[in-house]
Amino acid sequence: MFTGIIEEIGKVKSIQRNAKSSSMVISATKVLEDTKVGDSIATNGVCLTVTSKSTHEFTVDVMAQTMRSSNLHHLKPMDEVNLERALTLSTRLGGHIVSGHVDCVGIIQNYLQEENAVWITIGLSDDAMGYMIEKGSITLDGVSLTVQRVHAKSVEVSIIPHTKEVTTLLKKKLGDFVNVEVDMIAKYVERLLQRPTKKPLNEDFLKEHGFY
């Protein structure tokens, strides 16, 4: 689990590509301070397992399904990535609950400066749009953000100067892809509402189960 609060911008050092999967070496410092092999690091919002590490870099394997469902297959050496270690029980939950499991890939459609903030318009799939509400949560390339405006096929978020400095979001170009994770709570609520109606807890139910 993660919070969507980026700890460090890392840099892709090398990529070994297979037919559908890949292995990546990423340069970093802060996220490696107390990280062990087997720990998870969210890389552009994708939960990846550290398979080896040194003081200033770590290696991760990216399976075929992750390559298909995220923007990681677009990465190349020297690209920057947002990094966050998995949260602990003593971690401040400064963003929102993030699983590191990407739901879809969005497209950056527009940037608009408004005084100290930058508005970003993100085009989303119809499935992802079903979870969008104003003032709800969304994760873009691992960054926890608040949905400010909802349109038919896109949403708008607003980036403050601090987020600009500590993430890669405003380094992307129009048409670039971002990993999108919708609010986990919204997905659970949807699933619960799809379940068949349970029998009410009343006298007939108790008799049926031997309490009378």
Side-chain angles (χ1 to χ4, degrees):
M1 302 297 294
F2 306 90
T3 68
I5 304 299
I6 302 304
E7 296 184 278
E8 179 180 6
I9 295 177
K11 185 171 291 186
V12 177
K13 186 174 180 180
S14 64
I15 304 177
Q16 179 183 331
R17 298 187 185 278
N18 304 313
K20 296 181 180 180
S21 60
S22 71
S23 177
M24 294 192 296
V25 178
I26 299 172
S27 299
T29 303
K30 183 175 181 179
V31 297
L32 294 174
E33 290 174 355
D34 59 354
T35 295
K36 306 180 297 297
V37 171
D39 286 349
S40 298
I41 294 180
T43 305
N44 275 0
V46 181
C47 178
L48 298 176
T49 300
V50 176
T51 58
S52 67
K53 66 176 286 278
S54 63
T55 305
H56 297 294
E57 64 185 44
F58 65 99
T59 303
V60 292
D61 290 326
V62 187
M63 62 183 178
Q65 174 59 24
T66 303
M67 295 287 279
R68 285 190 293 266
S69 61
S70 73
N71 66 7
L72 296 188
H73 67 279
H74 291 290
L75 291 176
K76 56 187 183 300
M78 303 306 293
D79 279 352
E80 294 181 326
V81 288
N82 296 321
L83 301 175
E84 180 192 357
R85 289 168 290 186
L87 63 83
T88 67
L89 292 177
S90 61
T91 303
R92 289 180 181 271
L93 189 59
H96 70 284
I97 298 173
V98 176
S99 69
H101 302 151
V102 173
D103 292 297
C104 69
V105 175
I107 301 176
I108 297 179
Q109 296 181 337
N110 190 49
Y111 288 117
L112 177 64
Q113 185 83 40
E114 184 182 30
E115 294 189 358
N116 66 339
V118 178
W119 288 86
I120 308 178
T121 303
I122 308 292
L124 297 176
S125 66
D126 290 340
D127 286 344
M129 285 302 306
Y131 299 102
M132 297 297 112
I133 59 170
E134 290 189 2
K135 310 308 177 186
S137 296
I138 189 172
T139 309
L140 301 178
D141 269 1
V143 183
S144 172
L145 295 165
T146 300
V147 177
Q148 301 291 355
R149 298 168 183 164
V150 179
H151 306 291
K153 294 184 178 294
S154 65
V155 296
E156 294 182 57
V157 297
S158 186
I159 305 296
I160 62 173
H162 175 76
T163 305
K164 174 183 177 180
E165 294 299 322
V166 301
T167 75
T168 64
L169 284 180
L170 294 187
K171 298 179 181 181
K172 292 180 175 290
K173 304 183 299 295
L174 297 184
D176 279 355
F177 297 102
V178 290
N179 293 325
V180 177
E181 181 181 333
V182 304
D183 187 5
M184 182 190 303
I185 296 175
K187 289 190 287 186
Y188 275 117
V189 169
E190 178 188 51
R191 180 61 177 165
L192 288 169
L193 291 175
Q194 291 174 346
R195 293 177 63 187
T197 304
K198 291 184 176 181
K199 294 182 179 180
L201 181 60
N202 54 26
E203 184 176 337
D204 291 336
F205 179 89
L206 293 173
K207 287 181 179 177
E208 182 181 343
H209 290 81
F211 289 93
Y212 274 92

